[in-house]
Amino acid sequence: LRPRPPVRPVVPRSRRRPRVHLPLEWRRSRPGKIAPAEVAAWCEGLARVVRGGSTLIAALRSVEPPASCRSVVDGIVLSLDRGARLADALDVSSRSPHLNLAITVARACAVNGGPPAEPLDRAASTLRGRAADAAERRTHSAQARLSAIVMTVLPLAMLALLLATSAPTRTAATSGTGVAVIAIGGTLNVAGWRWMRRIVSQVES
């Protein structure tokens, strides 16, 4: 027989702390990757709550962070709940430079004092600029991605067409030399495709 669990007190709706929910599009992100637009929306939410008269600690507790950086923000809130100072709780870092920018600005506001709404808005503006630059790089690299797809698919399509329409090609392709040449060509084709994708991904990042 297990003891009955204690009954939790029911908190009236008027006393519950409201949570500021970010737009849905900023919460959809690839796991492990933090987009600058998501962090910018979070900074704007913090600045909005602070501008409404709340403290930065209350804003960190009430504004819902993006799903991609929820673990870092939850760690900050947990440190605050355990009695840590705001500057000490914000003395953390992540793998994302965008989130590090927002945390650094918030920590500077906690250390130096003053209204944090304007610095957070400036951080959000900087992150919006980073997002715009990344989108522009992706637009400029679209031609390179298309060229990589065409240069990869076109030899395979031509080989399939020649095998279907040309008997000498089928005879040569089924010989030992033909199989070796096709294997070498396919390997070089895959290697070139991976090389081009790596170059394009470095340009986009």
Side-chain angles (χ1 to χ4, degrees):
L1 297 178
R2 294 183 179 179
R4 197 175 209 180
V7 180
R8 294 183 178 179
V10 179
V11 180
R13 289 182 177 273
S14 59
R15 297 178 57 186
R16 293 179 183 175
R17 185 183 299 275
R19 294 186 64 86
V20 179
H21 295 277
L22 299 177
L24 182 61
E25 57 268 23
W26 302 129
R27 285 182 274 160
R28 293 175 180 173
S29 62
R30 283 182 278 180
K33 186 174 183 181
I34 301 176
E38 296 176 332
V39 186
W42 180 58
C43 291
E44 290 172 352
L46 293 175
R48 191 182 308 114
V49 173
V50 170
R51 196 175 286 110
S54 300
T55 62
L56 184 55
I57 296 178
L60 289 170
R61 287 173 174 169
S62 61
V63 177
E64 183 179 359
S68 54
C69 56
R70 186 184 301 276
S71 59
V72 179
V73 179
D74 287 347
I76 296 173
V77 175
L78 181 60
S79 299
L80 293 174
D81 293 338
R82 290 177 176 176
R85 296 190 309 152
L86 180 58
D88 296 335
L90 290 171
D91 191 12
V92 296
S93 62
S94 67
R95 297 181 179 179
S96 171
H98 315 303
L99 183 57
N100 287 336
L101 172 63
I103 294 175
T104 302
V105 171
R107 187 172 186 274
C109 294
V111 172
N112 300 320
E118 184 177 356
L120 289 172
D121 282 333
R122 291 184 180 181
S125 178
T126 302
L127 292 170
R128 296 285 185 191
R130 290 183 181 180
D133 293 341
E136 186 176 359
R137 288 195 298 269
R138 285 194 297 269
T139 301
H140 289 313
S141 62
Q143 183 177 1
R145 291 197 303 269
L146 181 61
S147 299
I149 294 175
V150 171
M151 294 176 65
T152 302
V153 175
L154 186 60
L156 300 177
M158 289 299 299
L159 177 61
L161 179 62
L162 291 175
L163 289 176
T165 58
S166 176
T169 302
R170 289 194 296 269
T171 303
T174 54
S175 63
T177 305
V179 172
V181 169
I182 292 175
I184 294 173
T187 304
L188 293 176
N189 195 19
V190 173
W193 175 73
R194 291 178 62 89
W195 187 17
M196 287 185 288
R197 279 194 56 120
R198 183 176 180 181
I199 294 175
V200 171
S201 63
Q202 289 180 355
V203 171
E204 290 180 351
S205 61

